Amino acid sequence: MKKKPARFIMTRGGFVKIEENRLVVLLEFNSNYENDQLRILSIPFEEKEDELILDMKTKKSFKPAPLLTQDLDGKWLFATRGPDEDQERRGEENPRKTLKILKDGRFQWIAYQTETMKFSGTGGGSFTSEDGKYTENIEFFSKDDSRVGATLKFNYDLKENDWHHTGKNSKGEPMYEIWTKRKD
């Protein structure tokens, strides 16, 4: 993401494992797949005190973000539109996925297809979730940079492993989504 002016550049993510001094990422999504055909990243790394240093094209240093635990923290897969009336749900086995990751006050959603690596879009920024109120502050949005800076307010209700998410979407249209907690 480029901040001024806001512009989406690329996103990649997947399942991480450590092999000796390499961080190996089995990519589940890669917005640049059409250009680079990457399904696996293998990145040399080192740890120094409270710092993680990744040796990519240049060395990049990361320090842990402060912990900020909130109700909706976790990985969520879009399941269906609400209300919940026993309709068919998208699940882990479905190759078409929309994943939303919320942790330490940051969120990102990604829409993608696991078999073809087709990327459909992403957005993210900061969030708060407390007492049934969920707020997103959009800091990047791959399809429309003009949405950067918007604040969206929603209601939420947790029912077992489901997050019922209601309010108005980024276009101002009413929405009711049901997300299910990802198991991995």
Side-chain angles (χ1 to χ4, degrees), residues 119-176:
F119 172 78
S120 298
T122 189
S126 63
F127 82 96
T128 58
S129 62
E130 187 175 27
D131 298 329
K133 302 292 180 196
Y134 170 71
T135 302
E136 293 180 346
N137 300 296
I138 299 175
E139 296 175 18
F140 63 95
F141 198 91
S142 64
K143 292 184 175 186
D144 183 357
D145 294 333
S146 71
R147 299 218 181 121
V148 171
T151 296
L152 305 175
K153 295 179 184 268
F154 304 97
N155 297 310
Y156 72 89
D157 189 17
L158 294 172
K159 298 179 183 179
E160 296 181 21
N161 287 327
D162 287 346
W163 160 21
H164 290 247
H165 180 67
T166 59
K168 292 189 178 181
N169 66 18
S170 62
K171 295 178 184 174
E173 301 163 341
M175 57 159 257
Y176 185 159

Side-chain angles (χ1 to χ4, degrees), residues 63-128:
K63 290 188 178 212
L67 298 177
L68 176 59
T69 303
Q70 297 184 65
D71 288 349
L72 295 175
D73 284 354
K75 295 175 277 184
W76 300 88
L77 284 172
F78 176 79
T80 190
R81 302 264 177 234
D84 194 359
E85 297 171 341
D86 296 323
Q87 65 268 42
E88 188 175 334
R89 291 174 161 235
R90 274 197 252 162
E92 189 64 49
E93 65 286 342
N94 190 316
R96 181 176 167 228
K97 291 181 175 45
T98 303
L99 174 66
K100 195 169 223 180
I101 304 165
L102 296 101
K103 183 165 176 54
D104 295 328
R106 308 294 302 164
F107 81 96
Q108 182 178 3
W109 64 265
I110 311 101
Y112 57 100
Q113 216 280 2
T114 56
E115 290 172 352
T116 63
M117 297 293 279
K118 182 179 183 323
F119 172 78
S120 298
T122 189
S126 63
F127 82 96
T128 58

Side-chain angles (χ1 to χ4, degrees), residues 8-20:
F8 171 77
I9 298 170
M10 179 177 59
T11 188
R12 294 177 177 147
F15 303 96
V16 178
K17 60 184 177 178
I18 294 175
E19 292 179 357
E20 296 178 14

Side-chain angles (χ1 to χ4, degrees), residues 33-51:
Y33 184 76
E34 287 184 15
N35 297 320
D36 64 23
Q37 303 293 298
L38 289 176
R39 289 182 179 259
I40 297 174
L41 296 176
S42 180
I43 306 165
F45 76 93
E46 62 181 295
E47 294 176 279
K48 286 186 179 176
E49 296 172 17
D50 66 344
E51 213 172 0

